[in-house]
Amino acid sequence: MRRPTRRNAVLATLVAAAATATLLAPGTSGAAGPATAAPDPDVVDVCADRRPGPADPGAYGTQLDGTFRHPSLTPVDEESEHPFPGREAEYDTRSYIKNMKVEAAYEGADFTPDYFHTWQNVVDFDGRRYLFQYDRSEGRVYDITDVKKVKVVEKLSREDVGGDETRANGDWAAHDYWGASTVQWSAKLGAYVMVQSFESKRQISELSDHPPLDKYNNPEGVRKLREKPGLKGFKVYRLDGPRKKDWKLLATVSTDATQADPLRSDPATAQQGSGSIDVPHWTGGKYMFLATAPDDTYSGTEYPTNLHSAGYQSWDMSDPAHPRLLDTWHLPGQRTGEDAAYRKNPRCGNRTSWMGARMPLFLPKPVEQGGRYAFAAMGGYGLTVLDVSDPADLRTVAHLDLPESVAGTEGDNIDVSQYEKTGMIYYSGYPLTEDCYEPYKDVYQIDVRDPARPRVVGTLPRPVPPRTAGFTDYCQRRGSFGPKRTGYYTNPGKHDAGLLGYGFYNAGVQFFDVSDPADPEIAAYFVPKAYGRDTAEYAYGNQTHGVYVEWDRNIAWALTNHGIYALSSKVLGKPDLDAPAKPFRTSEF
């Protein structure tokens, strides 16, 4: 789900006529646009324009039996409503619960750094537990030692400079922000080390989802985006306490392959590639894995506002102050000039699909502990199994194409917590539109007991509202509906066998019992109200967008557009509402 941006009001008049015309007539997005710059050679335009038009309103919606039929194909259209017969007239302010208990609820701006998405981490200092919740310049630090008496320890913001990341203020230096992070214990330093991703901003004013201002028709916008300054890479900090003043910068590293020295780049100038995307995979040992496009030739993606198609890199973190690049990997078709491979993908030309990594590799076991395989979720490129036993030589083991599910994110998250026990991984994308105006995003059960032959063997059941709700499918509830993620590998404690918890947008938090892979079922859920007293109206549809589980205390935190909830459940085990028995140090597997 993308947030509305200030550019919408400015661009609305310019885009309206052209966007309407092209939506009604696929194949016309070559309409003349602002072309004061030469065409960019790294905007892939390999196949004829096949951008989908709007779905026929009669082809989807509530069925006679109360189920919902999704449209089979839709264009990128994240900021519009798509009403249908049977949709609720208003957003739902009730909540629903099964086999769960709300231990505490915290509402308002202090507990909502961003309406649309946040990242979380836990650290323990001096017998107290702290939760980080953040999205770039908006960050919060909470003392969550007593689950029922959470306190705000620090609030970071750029509100006073209009969110402009090029400007310094009391909280941030120019071009600095809180990137998606992993926090692990470094035995070498005897301290927590935080690795923060610095990536291209996805909410941009230079390009639009629709022609004539998308990347295919707006070379001037592409040029402006290429010229924006900022670090593309990652930063490494030593943490001597939970607050920003306790961070000590150890390294600033560029993933831009054109830099002469990645540890000595200039963040005040433009850098190539995507930077490190989402939470780096590092467990405090020698090896780290990133999702990144190392330069602008990593371009094989259809998404109209995204210029890069990320692959993966491995890094040596033996000395956290001096990370060293080991290897870079990508699929054929991801780089400029790999046209023949790109044409083989049925999404070629649809001007819609996100193609490339959105998150780093998923490892069931760290390489340092004998782990060999990693799994890659690459949007429209599907699933790839890699052998990472030698991180200096990343090798492809197998590839699996997944069914097209356009629009929306087709492949983003892989839960690998059950792999060592059952050989199953759980692969999913997530919705980007409201009112279910896109194909449903299934959570695929994939059997990889033989890593050379992965195969889909099922899907997790679709959440269904209780009878008391008054509607028969969550699509009718308004807002986005579908899986987001099962948190991150950074959650403290050891993941419970047979249990997966997903943030499911307007279906709240859903816990799936997958102990019997042949018969998965929904074991518990909590569906909060659609919005709170301080939620901006444009964010009402982006409801529960995350879940973060403290497996060591059996507490699940639901992250919503109006605050956070602390949840317990018999499926998690008896909750510990006080200080943890032992501090979190390193992710467990």
Side-chain angles (χ1 to χ4, degrees):
M1 176 68 66
R2 289 179 58 191
R3 73 206 71 183
T5 56
R6 295 179 179 179
R7 67 182 170 88
N8 289 354
V10 178
L11 297 179
T13 304
L14 295 174
V15 174
T20 301
T22 53
L23 282 170
L24 293 174
T28 61
S29 73
T36 58
D40 190 294
D42 290 315
V43 171
V44 172
D45 193 4
V46 172
C47 297
D49 182 358
R50 298 186 301 107
R51 186 179 189 274
D56 186 329
Y60 70 95
T62 305
Q63 306 294 282
L64 293 177
D65 62 358
T67 62
F68 185 87
R69 178 182 176 86
H70 287 256
S72 60
L73 181 69
T74 53
V76 178
D77 191 7
E78 300 175 28
E79 295 173 357
S80 302
E81 291 187 10
H82 298 279
F84 55 86
R87 189 188 75 163
E88 295 285 281
E90 304 291 339
Y91 287 97
D92 187 7
T93 56
R94 295 169 296 174
S95 62
Y96 311 96
I97 195 165
K98 173 186 175 182
N99 290 338
M100 302 201 84
K101 178 183 178 182
V102 177
E103 299 288 352
Y106 303 95
E107 188 171 334
D110 282 349
F111 298 95
T112 316
D114 187 273
Y115 294 128
F116 289 87
H117 179 74
T118 56
W119 288 279
Q120 300 79 40
N121 300 96
V122 150
V123 293
D124 289 301
F125 286 98
D126 301 322
R128 305 202 67 80
R129 173 155 289 186
Y130 300 90
L131 175 68
F132 297 155
Q133 186 190 16
Y134 55 95
D135 176 52
R136 296 179 76 99
S137 296
E138 292 294 321
R140 310 287 187 267
V141 179
Y142 311 119
D143 184 333
I144 60 169
T145 311
D146 183 340
V147 171
K148 292 183 177 292
K149 296 180 181 179
V150 168
K151 299 177 181 178
V152 180
V153 173
E154 184 161 60
K155 178 179 178 179
L156 303 169
S157 180
R158 265 199 175 95
E159 290 181 354
D160 59 328
V161 293
D164 186 351
E165 291 178 354
T166 67
R167 298 173 64 185
N169 71 346
D171 291 333
W172 301 102
H175 309 294
D176 198 18
Y177 56 86
W178 197 334
S181 303
T182 181
V183 180
Q184 304 288 332
W185 188 261
S186 168
K188 178 181 177 70
L189 299 182
Y192 285 118
V193 170
M194 176 163 62
V195 183
Q196 293 185 355
S197 285
F198 276 67
E199 62 176 290
S200 303
K201 196 168 186 177
R202 298 181 193 174
Q203 318 307 326
I204 57 175
S205 59
E206 291 80 9
L207 298 172
S208 165
D209 291 338
H210 307 296
L213 299 178
D214 61 353
K215 70 180 182 182
Y216 298 100
N217 301 286
N218 184 4
E220 180 66 14
V222 172
R223 180 189 65 79
K224 290 179 179 179
L225 198 57
R226 299 273 196 221
E227 293 177 354
K228 291 181 72 170
L231 174 66
K232 304 288 186 65
F234 59 95
K235 291 186 177 183
V236 185
Y237 291 89
R238 173 182 172 135
L239 304 188
D240 293 317
R243 301 182 63 187
K244 186 170 179 283
K245 68 178 180 62
D246 304 315
W247 302 355
K248 179 183 177 182
L249 181 64
L250 300 179
T252 298
V253 187
S254 177
T255 52
D256 176 0
T258 70
Q259 297 290 318
D261 183 346
L263 274 67
R264 291 175 174 81
S265 69
D266 182 3
T269 62
Q271 298 188 9
Q272 286 200 33
S274 64
S276 174
I277 298 177
D278 222 300
V279 178
H281 194 286
W282 180 61
T283 56
K286 183 174 182 179
Y287 300 114
M288 179 170 71
F289 300 92
L290 303 177
T292 186
D295 62 49
D296 291 344
T297 68
Y298 284 74
S299 56
T301 180
E302 291 291 317
Y303 203 79
T305 60
N306 181 33
L307 302 180
H308 299 107
S309 180
Y312 302 95
Q313 287 184 340
S314 53
W315 288 76
D316 185 331
M317 290 287 288
S318 300
D319 180 357
H322 296 88
R324 183 170 61 89
L325 177 64
L326 296 174
D327 197 15
T328 300
W329 178 95
H330 76 285
L331 280 172
Q334 284 195 267
R335 300 190 70 180
T336 301
E338 298 178 343
D339 294 1
Y342 193 75
R343 285 193 186 95
K344 293 179 182 178
N345 194 303
R347 297 160 184 80
C348 183
N350 72 15
R351 308 299 196 252
T352 303
S353 292
W354 183 288
M355 299 169 69
R358 288 178 76 104
M359 294 181 71
L361 293 171
F362 298 84
L363 281 74
K365 182 188 292 185
V367 173
E368 297 89 335
Q369 297 177 20
R372 179 178 180 183
Y373 297 109
F375 304 99
M378 303 190 70
Y381 286 113
L383 166 74
T384 298
V385 183
L386 284 81
D387 185 331
V388 297
S389 55
D390 179 1
D393 183 21
L394 305 177
R395 294 187 293 114
T396 302
V397 175
H399 183 77
L400 177 67
D401 289 323
L402 278 299
E404 290 182 77
S405 183
V406 180
T409 301
E410 297 179 81
D412 163 81
N413 187 70
I414 303 176
D415 190 289
V416 297
S417 64
Q418 311 303 306
Y419 176 69
E420 296 291 317
K421 307 172 187 71
T422 66
M424 296 290 171
I425 62 174
Y426 295 83
Y427 178 106
S428 57
Y430 64 83
L432 287 174
T433 61
E434 295 194 20
D435 303 322
C436 294
Y437 186 67
E438 63 182 74
Y440 178 65
K441 298 301 178 280
D442 276 306
V443 180
Y444 291 102
Q445 297 173 278
I446 300 178
D447 183 344
V448 282
R449 286 175 290 183
D450 180 354
R453 295 176 177 82
R455 62 190 188 97
V456 175
V457 294
T459 60
L460 293 187
R462 178 188 179 109
V464 176
R467 292 182 179 179
T468 56
F471 49 86
T472 54
D473 191 279
Y474 277 110
C475 290
Q476 296 170 295
R477 194 179 189 235
R478 302 191 60 160
S480 291
F481 168 60
K484 179 61 173 176
R485 296 171 181 168
T486 52
Y488 298 93
Y489 73 96
T490 58
N491 299 44
K494 191 173 180 63
H495 198 296
D496 285 0
L499 192 64
L500 305 179
Y502 283 87
F504 234 88
Y505 290 104
N506 72 2
V509 173
Q510 300 275 332
F511 277 93
F512 295 82
D513 182 343
V514 295
S515 54
D516 179 1
D519 188 25
E521 61 180 5
I522 296 172
Y525 60 72
F526 170 64
V527 182
K529 59 188 179 182
Y531 60 91
R533 61 179 182 270
D534 298 325
T535 308
E537 187 173 355
Y538 63 74
Y540 283 4
N542 194 75
Q543 296 166 26
T544 302
H545 47 261
V547 59
Y548 186 85
V549 181
E550 293 182 71
W551 296 104
D552 59 348
R553 293 203 298 175
N554 297 325
I555 295 293
W557 295 92
L559 297 314
T560 79
N561 63 3
H562 57 275
I564 62 178
Y565 295 82
L567 308 171
S568 63
S569 173
K570 65 181 182 181
V571 303
L572 288 168
K574 184 179 178 179
D576 180 357
L577 304 181
D578 299 314
K582 64 176 184 177
F584 164 73
R585 288 294 182 253
T586 303
S587 295
E588 300 180 44
F589 293 84

